[in-house]
Amino acid sequence: MRVQLIIGFLILFISEILKVYFIMPFPGSQQSDTIELAYFLHQYIWYLRILGIVLLAYPLWKNFKIGSKLTKIILGGLTFLWLGVVYLFNFELTADHMFYQPKNKIMASGSDNKIAKDKLILGVVHNGQAKAYPIQLIGYHHQVIDTVGGTPMMITYCTVCRTGRVYLPFVNGKYEQFRLVGMDHFNAIFEDQTTGSWWQQATGESITGKLKGLNLPSVSSEQMSLSAWLQIHPNSLVMQPDPEFKEQYAGLKNYDSGKGKSNLTTRDSLSWKPKSWVIGILMGKTAKAYDWNQLVKDQIIYDTLEQSNIVVVLENDKKSFHAFKSESPFGPLKLVLKNNQLIDSQSDAVWNMDGKCIAGKYEGSSLPKIEAYQEFWHSWKTFQPNTLVMQ
């Protein structure tokens, strides 16, 4: 009977604790490939609870009937402790009880905007409409469901990976709702309402569950300062703070500059450390990382990817970056950066930071944009394990 008591309590306590431990940033919880075990515990927790309770039912009844006072106190204490663990690990420490979507989604024009112009934003343009989402805001919410150009979109951000991604919330053509459930390898994971499958924020891939292997359709986005964004998109709408979450936003006041309140979100100013900043580029089948410190120093980086000449450019504000193919409809270009513009040294044609040629031989054409992300090095190399590195 004693062994049965021990096994019953172990099942109850261990299953409740590990169910949350594997998907939250506890010491040692994010380094191993435990997502399948975490998902098993998440899916079958009620079976484990019932098993534990069945094992405990008779021994507890017997001991409370004929056991000593000390035994009753110990067993009663363990029972109430388990109930406390259930409450703590299913309400207080779950991701969707710590981070909420905005209750009041407020969008303002550039003239009515209250967000400081030097703040970083994640910008999206679709069907002629531009919208900007301040990272200080979406960093707390983790996801904001909005409509851009008449299309529902899921704007996501994970502060621990420094990953901003935008997806269409459609699975097999059907609109889907998602909730934040935790993280895997420090990256946010979302659960779809229909199948309960888990989706990785950095890649949009379902990593476990019935839909494992599927990907959410991605939408191009750009990270830059709000000032730089409004220079390119003066008619953009800008997400405003929800008054309900004023205190939570304040906690991310210095996040843009890498000075987070948590060690998980603070930048390492050295290069190629786990929390160093990199610019990650996915082009065709090739992934490559570029050192942020090098970009700040040179403001323009030249490279060749997938047999194309490319440039990675940092604006004068030292915050806004872009990546383009260095080519025109008439052939390769030799671009140099001057006065926050790109100039072809062969023809003196001039491009702005949106990649549009505003003067010279190629006026009216555009440089092909390349999707580029600023994120922590530990994140990029985890989710792009075959990445190349430009030292």
Side-chain angles (χ1 to χ4, degrees), residues 359-370:
K361 178 180 178 181
Y362 307 110
E363 187 171 356
S365 67
S366 295
L367 299 173
K369 289 185 179 182
I370 302 170

Side-chain angles (χ1 to χ4, degrees), residues 116-185:
K117 296 291 182 65
D118 63 344
K119 300 299 288 183
L120 290 179
I121 60 92
L122 197 65
V124 184
V125 179
H126 185 68
N127 287 341
Q129 184 177 46
K131 287 191 176 183
Y133 301 86
I135 286 175
Q136 183 179 356
L137 309 187
I138 59 175
Y140 163 71
H141 295 297
H142 284 71
Q143 68 157 324
V144 173
I145 302 300
D146 199 11
T147 299
V148 184
T151 301
M153 292 192 184
M154 181 178 175
I155 292 86
T156 73
Y157 198 90
C158 177
T159 55
V160 181
C161 285
R162 206 173 176 89
T163 45
R165 303 287 190 271
V166 180
Y167 301 106
L168 299 180
F170 292 89
V171 178
N172 293 325
K174 175 180 173 291
Y175 179 79
E176 187 58 82
Q177 292 184 319
F178 295 85
R179 73 180 186 95
L180 182 70
V181 292
M183 60 172 56
D184 175 56
H185 287 86

Side-chain angles (χ1 to χ4, degrees), residues 52-69:
I53 291 169
V54 168
L55 287 172
L56 289 173
Y58 177 74
L60 284 177
W61 175 80
K62 192 73 173 177
N63 277 281
F64 276 107
K65 184 176 181 180
I66 62 173
S68 66
K69 184 177 180 179

Side-chain angles (χ1 to χ4, degrees), residues 128-376:
Q129 184 177 46
K131 287 191 176 183
Y133 301 86
I135 286 175
Q136 183 179 356
L137 309 187
I138 59 175
Y140 163 71
H141 295 297
H142 284 71
Q143 68 157 324
V144 173
I145 302 300
D146 199 11
T147 299
V148 184
T151 301
M153 292 192 184
M154 181 178 175
I155 292 86
T156 73
Y157 198 90
C158 177
T159 55
V160 181
C161 285
R162 206 173 176 89
T163 45
R165 303 287 190 271
V166 180
Y167 301 106
L168 299 180
F170 292 89
V171 178
N172 293 325
K174 175 180 173 291
Y175 179 79
E176 187 58 82
Q177 292 184 319
F178 295 85
R179 73 180 186 95
L180 182 70
V181 292
M183 60 172 56
D184 175 56
H185 287 86
F186 295 107
N187 186 243
I189 47 179
F190 299 99
E191 180 181 82
D192 70 71
Q193 187 178 65
T194 302
T195 72
S197 299
W198 286 358
W199 303 76
Q200 195 172 68
Q201 184 268 346
T203 64
E205 181 183 1
S206 177
I207 54 176
T208 189
K210 183 179 179 180
L211 301 178
K212 183 177 180 179
L214 288 185
N215 286 85
L216 293 175
S218 63
V219 179
S220 294
S221 62
E222 293 185 273
Q223 178 186 307
M224 63 184 78
S225 69
L226 178 57
S227 177
W229 177 259
L230 290 175
Q231 282 286 329
I232 299 171
H233 304 286
N235 296 321
S236 175
L237 295 176
V238 183
M239 182 180 173
Q240 304 296 294
D242 183 342
E244 297 279 343
F245 300 101
K246 184 177 180 180
E247 183 178 338
Q248 289 86 343
Y249 297 149
L252 290 169
K253 179 181 178 181
N254 298 316
Y255 178 82
D256 285 8
S257 60
K259 299 174 182 177
K261 294 178 69 174
S262 165
N263 287 333
L264 293 171
T265 59
T266 301
R267 175 193 175 194
D268 192 323
S269 60
L270 299 176
S271 299
W272 305 114
K273 302 297 181 183
K275 290 189 292 179
S276 300
W277 290 358
V278 301
I279 296 295
I281 288 180
L282 281 173
M283 191 171 168
K285 296 181 180 179
T286 304
K288 195 162 186 177
Y290 301 84
D291 178 22
W292 179 262
N293 291 336
Q294 190 66 42
L295 183 59
V296 170
K297 178 184 175 183
D298 297 338
Q299 277 198 261
I300 186 167
I301 293 175
Y302 302 94
D303 198 11
T304 302
L305 271 185
E306 294 281 308
Q307 300 181 334
S308 293
N309 295 324
I310 73 165
V311 290
V312 183
V313 184
L314 184 67
E315 294 197 35
N316 289 341
D317 63 10
K318 305 295 185 182
K319 297 180 178 183
S320 308
F321 61 92
H322 313 273
F324 304 104
K325 287 185 180 181
S326 183
E327 57 188 44
S328 75
F330 308 100
L333 301 168
K334 292 186 178 179
L335 298 174
V336 294
L337 184 64
K338 186 177 181 180
N339 298 326
N340 219 46
Q341 294 176 324
L342 289 167
I343 300 173
D344 177 28
S345 60
Q346 302 172 112
S347 68
D348 290 331
V350 180
W351 284 263
N352 65 16
M353 286 294 106
D354 195 31
K356 290 182 170 61
C357 188
I358 56 175
K361 178 180 178 181
Y362 307 110
E363 187 171 356
S365 67
S366 295
L367 299 173
K369 289 185 179 182
I370 302 170
E371 196 83 1
Y373 310 99
Q374 183 199 62
E375 58 190 82
F376 286 131

